[in-house]
Amino acid sequence: MNKPTAIAFLTILVSLYFIISGLIKMSKYPSGTFLHSFGILLLLAGVAGTVWKMAEIRKK
């Protein structure tokens, strides 16, 4: 595995962690609380990171 591929794979894993953490926080805390909103931010960051990295991999 070459270095750019390993870094891309790790980035996608971190993004998936953000997505899963965001979903857990959203399901655990009621709507309108800070932690529910933080869950939404984690989810959005994870999705954005995944889309960005997948687009970058596709370009190469």
Side-chain angles (χ1 to χ4, degrees):
M1 188 182 288
N2 61 8
K3 193 169 182 157
T5 305
I7 291 173
F9 183 70
L10 287 174
T11 304
I12 291 172
L13 282 180
V14 170
S15 296
L16 289 175
Y17 172 77
F18 280 167
I19 291 169
I20 292 169
S21 294
L23 289 173
I24 289 172
K25 285 196 185 312
M26 288 171 57
S27 66
K28 197 174 191 180
Y29 298 101
S31 182
T33 61
F34 170 75
L35 288 173
H36 183 84
S37 300
F38 188 63
I40 293 171
L41 289 175
L42 283 174
L43 180 67
L44 291 175
V47 170
T50 303
V51 169
W52 172 70
K53 189 50 81 173
M54 293 300 269
E56 190 176 283
I57 289 170
R58 237 168 203 236
K59 264 201 266 184
K60 292 182 180 180

